[in-house]
Structure formats: C-alpha cells, structure tokens
C-alpha cells in the first residue's frame, strides 16, 4: 500500500452490507484442460445506487472478467455477488443491464438507428412507433443526428461507440457496464468521448461500472475508483473521487483533479516509476 | 468544370476497355489459332472441328439445342434451389442444436462422399426418366458445400454481438433473425457461386443414365455417333448457360448483400 503523500480527500471505503451492488469474496479461476488461470481472488466491494465506478489496473488484473461477472456473462468460482439484493441473473430478468464493448459490437447489416432500436425490438417494447421515437431520442442524445441511416462501417470509431452507448441506454438500464469502451480510439477522440459520457451520465442517472486503462478518464468520470492489482486480480484500494457534480471537461485543470491523478499513478506505477 | 464529367466518363470507358480487352483479345486469338491449325493441318472434323463449323452447327441446330438445354437448366436450377434451401434449413437446425448436428453431420458426409455417378442410375430407377432424378442429383450436388459454408456463416458472429444479444435476453430465434442469417448471407452466396455450376453438372450426369431430353442425352447420342461437332456445340451451349446462371446468382448477391463490407470474397 501507499503510505506517504495521501491527501485528506482520499478515503478507503469499507464494504457495508445491503448496498445496491455488492461483491463479496468473489474469485474466478479459468480452467482450460490441465492448466488453470486464477483471474480474480477474493474481490469485495459494494456501492450505492447511481454511482459511477471505474475499475482500473494493469492488464491481467481481471477488470473485464469482473465486469462480465457482474453482467452475468461469467459465473464466479467462489464468493457471491448481488445487485439490488438479487443475483445478476434474477436482477437482469426484468431489468436488463446495459453493456458497451470495446469493439462497439454493432450489427454491420443494421443502420445506426436500427442498431439503437434493436434491444427495444428484441424486448418487444410497447409499439414499433414508440420504439422508433425512443431510438431517435437516444440517437440525438448521442449526437448522431444525420447518421441514422449509415451503416456501422461508414461511421468513425467514436461514432460507433456513441451508437453503442445509445443502444445500451435506450432501454434505460439501471446498471450500465462499460468494458474499455474508448480503448480502441485515438487520444483526441477518446477525450471527446469521455466529455460526452460525462454529459450523458448527467442526463441519465444510472449505476455505471466502467473498465478503463486511462486514469484521467477514471478520475474525470467516477465517484469511486477501484484499483486492482494483477495476477491474480485483487483489490488494492478503492478511492472516492469527491469532485463536485455536475462536472465539466475543464475540471481536468483543477488542482484536486491533479491530486487524485497523482495518487492513482503513485498507487499503480509507484513501485518502479515514481 | 464542363470538362470534368467528360474526362470522368472517358476514364470509365478506358477502365472498362482495359478490363475486358485483354480477355477478349486472347479469346479471339485462341479462336483464330484453332481455326488456322484445323485448316493448315487438315485435321478431320470428327477429331477437332473448326470453330466456324461449330458455330454454324449451333446456328442451324439451335431449336434442338435450346429446348434440350432448357430442360437441363430447369432441372439444374430447381435442384439448385431445393438443395440450397435444404442446406440453409439444416444449417439453422444445426445452430439450434449441437446434438442434432452431431447426429446428422455423418449423414451429410455420406451424401457428400457417395459418387454422384453411382447414385444417378439408382435415382433414375426410383424416380423414372423424367425431370425428378435430375433435380434430385442436382440438389445432392449442391447440398454439402452449401451446408458447410452456411453453418460456418451462421456461427461467424462477433463475440461482442453474441454477448450483447445475451445481455438483452434475445431468444435463439431473435439471434437468428437479427444476426445469424445476415452473417451467413456472404457465406451462402460464396457457396452458391460454386454450387450453381455443380448443379448443372449434376443434372447432365443424371441425363447420362437415362432421360428423355436434356443436354446430357444430346452428349450421349453424339458420343455414340462420334459427332464431335455436336459434342462441342453441346459443351459451348452448356457453359454459356452455366455462366448465365452464375451471373444470376451474382446479381441476386448484389441485392442481398446490401450493407457495406458484406462481401467476404473481396
């Protein structure tokens, strides 16, 4: 653990019971024939509703696996996990999660609008007319007006991610999971996208779990940052980011922002670099 | 400003010429050489007829050739459609159930490995001398390559697409309807471009073993008479018809693969 240089703004949260999202003692081992890989060991944390939580750490620390476990896409080897007091499967039965992938995961044969509308179609949500309206309003939220009839391959990487976010938000999930959504984008687009996400998050409150490699992104967006250390993935610290909301892009130049960032960098790269 | 479009269309014409001129020239050159060598060497007509003689035969005998080619093509394209439809349906069933796939795949391989030449007479015994055995042989010839390709295409979804469909609780039918069928289309057409020719060969093979009409019967009769001119005429008419069928498939493909980046053959 890091000892020196902590400001008073940093607190380490102790898991409490009966939170909205509660992860306790979760371990995950991938067994593949004879070899097995321990991806996560004894992960515990819990957060109230509508918090923006980032998962950061070196590659191999199991951030994405943890996200997939919360989504119910992977099963835990040991430990337990609850969302609103239920298992992820029970919870998502009536309230499907939102999920944004690094590669967007749009269907190449559907237009932007059709892609955004897809979850509503699959869920047989109200009437086709209502779905159309809803999809259009999220198209606007993602600032994709004018691109509704383009196919994904005709969009830029940033636009594809915005479409993917709109697709996941249009059914108003209570929990939105984002797996390195901006990881494949260039630095400029990436920065624009985090500003966009900040704006979208302010407009539509939900609980977000956000896997990222970018510490500035994590500080800018999050209420809490879970720092994981690798091989096997364990929780190193949970840092609360007490920057006031609503935040704007220029919070980046504030001294508190800088301080949080330094702390995270110290914590993650401290051993060799600082 | 006024010159731009002109040079543009001029460009296009030149590009088209560049694309089609070399094969056309080579074609004419081979034809001319063929014609020349037959005359120069006095090659007898029953060995190798000159192109001019074949062309004349096609023109004078066009009604006979056309009606027989029509019979073959009707059988081939019916068999092609039936075989392809059966393959697509089987592929979808396989994607629904691995168990069914494991149970039925060996049968598909048996159908594939039995030589068509051997089943054609059997099918003729069972189905008679009409169009039915030809359709059956053509369908069998198309079935396996299409099945393998379509099954692969149906499974070719990106991991994230499958995960997202899981996240939104899409049913198997929804995944097929919204995603798998489209993902399979490029594979389907890539298979169809190969099997459309195989269906014609299948129909002709079925005609060899006994049929009342079709290019296959013309070939068998001409073979008995050692009528090389007729054999060549039949070959040329058949390949032109097969090329026509191939381009119909290509035309349908262009309409069906409507989204950019759909063509896996490129």
């Amino acid at each position: 653990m890091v000892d020196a240089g902590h400001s008073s703004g940093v607190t380490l949260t102790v898991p409490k019971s009966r939170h909205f999202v509660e992860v306790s003692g979760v371990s995950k081992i991938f067994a593949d024939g004879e070899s097995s890989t321990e991806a996560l060991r004894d992960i515990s944390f819990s957060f109230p509703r509508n918090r923006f939580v980032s998962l950061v750490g070196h590659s191999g620390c199991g951030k994405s696996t943890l996200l997939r476990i919360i989504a119910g896409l992977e099963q835990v080897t040991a430990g337990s996990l609850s969302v609103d007091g239920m298992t992820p499967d029970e919870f998502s039965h009536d309230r499907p999660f939102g999920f944004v992938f690094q590669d967007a995961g749009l269907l190449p044969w559907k237009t932007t609008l059709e892609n955004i509308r897809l979850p509503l179609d699959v869920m047989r949500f109200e009437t086709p007319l209502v779905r159309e309206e809803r999809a259009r309003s999220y198209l606007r939220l993602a600032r994709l007006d004018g691109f509704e009839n383009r196919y994904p391959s005709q969009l830029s990487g940033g636009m594809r991610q915005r479409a993917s976010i709109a697709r996941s938000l249009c059914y108003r999930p209570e929990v939105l999971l984002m797996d390195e959504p901006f990881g494949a984008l260039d630095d400029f687009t990436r920065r624009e996208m985090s500003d966009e996400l900040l704006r979208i998050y302010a407009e539509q409150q939900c609980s977000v779990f956000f896997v990222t490699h970018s510490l500035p992104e994590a500080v800018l967006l999050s209420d809490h940052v879970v720092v994981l250390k690798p091989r096997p993935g364990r929780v190193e610290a949970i840092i609360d980011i007490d920057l006031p909301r609503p935040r704007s892009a220029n919070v980046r130049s504030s001294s508190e922002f800088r301080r949080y960032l330094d702390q995270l960098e110290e914590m993650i790269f401290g051993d060799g670099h600082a | 400003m006024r010159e731009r479009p002109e040079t543009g269309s001029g460009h296009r014409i030149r590009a088209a010429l560049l694309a089609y001129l070399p094969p056309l020239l080579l074609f004419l050159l081979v034809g001319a050489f063929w014609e020349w060598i037959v005359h120069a060497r006095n090659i007898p007509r029953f060995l190798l007829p000159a192109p001019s003689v074949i062309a004349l035969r096609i023109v004078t005998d066009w009604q006979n050739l056309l009606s027989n080619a029509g019979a073959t093509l009707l059988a081939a394209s019916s068999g092609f459609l039936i075989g392809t439809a059966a393959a697509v349906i089987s592929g979808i069933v396989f994607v629904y159930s691995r168990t069914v796939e494991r149970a039925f795949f060996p049968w598909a391989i048996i159908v594939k490995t039995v030589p068509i030449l051997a089943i054609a007479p059997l099918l003729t015994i069972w189905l008679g001398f009409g169009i039915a055995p030809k359709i059956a042989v053509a369908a069998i010839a198309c079935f396996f390559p299409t099945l393998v390709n379509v099954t692969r295409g149906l499974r070719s979804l990106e991991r994230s697409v499958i995960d997202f469909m899981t996240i939104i609780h899409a049913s198997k039918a929804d995944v097929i309807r919204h995603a798998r069928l489209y993902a399979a289309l490029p594979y389907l057409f890539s298979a169809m471009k190969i099997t459309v020719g195989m269906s014609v060969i299948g129909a002709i093979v079925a005609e060899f073993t006994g049929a009342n009409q079709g290019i296959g019967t013309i070939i068998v009769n001409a073979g008995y008479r050692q009528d090389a001119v007729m054999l060549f005429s039949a070959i040329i008419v058949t390949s032109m018809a097969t090329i026509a069928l191939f381009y119909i498939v290509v035309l349908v493909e262009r309409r069906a693969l409507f989204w950019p980046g759909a063509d896996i053959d490129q």
Side-chain angles (χ1 to χ4, degrees):
Chain A
M1 266 306 307
V2 189
D3 44 7
H6 269 194
S7 83
S8 54
V10 177
T11 50
L12 302 179
T13 15
V14 182
K16 290 180 222 106
S17 58
R18 287 301 116 201
H19 267 317
F20 183 59
V21 173
E22 212 172 295
V23 174
S24 55
V26 162
S27 297
K28 174 73 183 175
I29 294 167
F30 287 106
D32 178 27
E34 286 159 34
S35 68
S36 67
T37 317
E38 189 177 13
L40 296 170
R41 181 186 290 170
D42 197 24
I43 304 281
S44 294
F45 55 70
S46 60
F47 296 107
R49 202 182 272 271
N50 293 345
R51 297 299 169 86
F52 198 114
V53 180
S54 286
L55 307 172
V56 301
H58 290 280
S59 44
C61 70
K63 317 183 280 280
S64 295
T65 306
L66 188 52
L67 204 68
R68 294 174 64 83
I69 286 175
I70 299 174
L73 290 172
E74 303 274 358
Q75 299 305 311
V76 298
T77 310
S80 69
L81 185 131
S82 72
V83 183
D84 206 9
M86 293 172 251
T87 67
D89 281 345
E90 288 165 354
F91 175 85
S92 72
H93 186 263
D94 301 318
R95 295 168 283 178
F97 295 108
F99 207 115
V100 179
F101 301 86
Q102 179 172 354
D103 69 347
L106 301 171
L107 304 181
W109 40 84
K110 290 191 184 279
T111 63
T112 310
L113 188 66
E114 287 167 345
N115 263 295
I116 296 175
R117 208 183 59 199
L118 174 71
L120 301 172
D121 287 340
V122 165
M123 293 166 191
R124 315 278 188 283
F125 181 78
E126 305 216 357
T127 65
L129 206 73
V130 176
R131 295 174 206 160
E132 178 84 8
E133 294 264 299
R134 175 74 78 87
R136 279 190 188 280
S137 76
Y138 279 83
L139 186 94
R140 277 191 297 277
L141 177 74
R143 299 198 187 174
L144 286 166
D145 324 53
F147 294 92
E148 49 267 59
N149 295 324
R150 299 285 183 90
Y151 290 93
S153 64
Q154 298 169 320
L155 301 177
S156 69
M159 287 168 135
R160 278 201 288 274
Q161 267 329 329
R162 289 212 295 260
S164 178
I165 293 170
R167 175 180 72 169
S168 261
L169 286 177
C170 72
Y171 50 94
R172 299 193 179 140
E174 288 181 33
V175 181
L176 174 63
L177 305 161
M178 306 180 88
D179 190 3
E180 286 184 48
F182 312 142
L185 304 177
D186 63 83
D187 281 350
F188 294 106
T189 314
R190 185 165 192 152
R191 200 169 152 145
E192 273 169 31
M193 289 299 293
S194 43
D195 294 348
E196 289 283 311
L197 185 56
L198 196 62
R199 173 181 64 81
I200 290 170
Y201 177 68
E203 278 188 44
Q204 184 172 335
Q205 286 285 304
C206 57
S207 302
V208 182
F209 286 86
F210 184 81
V211 167
T212 181
H213 275 120
S214 159
L215 299 180
E217 215 166 77
V219 176
L220 174 76
L221 294 165
S222 309
D223 300 304
H224 312 280
V225 177
V226 179
V227 180
L228 296 165
K229 51 187 172 183
R231 276 174 284 276
R234 286 150 295 163
V235 175
E236 173 151 14
I238 297 169
I239 294 180
D240 299 338
I241 309 290
D242 288 328
L243 296 170
R245 284 195 191 269
R247 290 175 202 166
S248 66
N250 54 30
V251 76
R252 285 192 181 92
S253 50
S254 73
S255 58
E256 293 106 304
F257 183 89
R258 197 62 243 173
R259 208 164 57 233
Y260 283 122
L261 196 57
D262 288 345
Q263 249 149 22
L264 280 172
E265 275 175 2
E266 171 74 23
M267 195 169 284
I268 292 170
F269 304 110
D271 300 342
H273 296 250
Chain B
M1 276 308 271
R2 206 172 343 115
E3 240 163 48
R4 272 268 166 219
E6 275 170 21
T7 52
S9 71
H11 229 75
R12 213 171 310 141
I13 289 168
R14 199 177 308 157
L17 273 180
L18 272 175
Y20 294 112
L21 208 57
L24 203 70
L25 272 180
L26 186 68
F27 191 76
L28 290 176
L29 217 72
V30 169
F33 176 76
W34 180 354
E35 186 81 36
W36 171 79
I37 197 110
V38 167
H39 288 294
R41 290 280 169 130
N42 251 335
I43 299 175
R45 179 174 284 204
F46 67 86
L47 272 185
L48 182 68
S52 58
V53 175
I54 299 167
L56 200 69
R57 183 61 170 276
I58 293 175
V59 170
T60 50
D61 225 358
W62 70 272
Q63 269 181 318
N64 177 33
L65 283 165
L66 198 71
S67 69
N68 282 290
T72 304
L73 280 191
L74 180 67
S77 45
S78 313
F80 171 68
L81 291 178
I82 293 170
T84 304
V88 170
I89 292 167
S90 310
I92 291 173
V93 172
F94 283 5
V95 167
Y96 254 97
S97 162
R98 282 264 181 195
T99 318
V100 173
E101 179 176 10
R102 279 197 203 100
F104 278 88
F105 203 73
W107 290 91
I109 293 175
I110 290 170
V111 170
K112 148 89 185 154
T113 47
V114 170
I116 279 185
L117 271 168
I119 19 176
L122 258 183
L123 286 165
T124 309
I125 293 172
W126 291 340
L127 302 170
F129 294 99
I131 195 172
K134 303 192 222 174
I135 294 179
V137 174
I140 289 170
C142 294
F143 180 74
F144 191 77
T146 310
L147 174 68
V148 170
N149 264 281
V150 164
T151 308
R152 206 169 128 211
L154 287 166
R155 294 225 165 93
S156 70
L157 288 185
E158 301 272 339
R159 176 85 236 163
S160 56
V161 169
I162 297 173
D163 282 344
F164 188 72
M165 294 306 245
T166 311
I167 289 276
I168 59 176
H169 309 306
S171 63
K172 272 189 177 178
D174 275 327
V175 178
I176 286 172
R177 197 160 61 90
H178 288 289
R180 292 197 190 278
L181 280 182
Y182 294 96
L185 273 184
Y187 291 80
L188 172 64
F189 278 101
S190 144
M192 277 161 65
K193 279 188 265 181
I194 295 165
T195 57
V196 74
M198 293 166 76
S199 73
V200 176
I201 294 171
I204 290 175
V205 166
E207 286 165 352
F208 282 173
T209 62
N212 43 31
Q213 54 176 341
I215 286 287
T217 60
I218 288 190
I219 290 173
V220 169
N221 290 333
Y224 283 136
R225 293 196 315 269
Q226 300 215 325
D227 185 352
V229 182
M230 195 51 168
L231 285 173
F232 268 106
S233 306
I235 290 170
I236 288 170
V237 168
T238 310
S239 28
M240 300 222 302
T242 309
I243 291 169
L245 281 185
F246 177 84
Y247 277 104
I248 290 173
V249 172
V250 170
L251 226 66
V252 176
E253 177 184 38
R254 281 199 193 135
R255 309 223 75 194
L257 303 186
F258 55 89
W259 67 97
D263 200 345
I264 53 166
D265 287 342
Q266 281 178 3

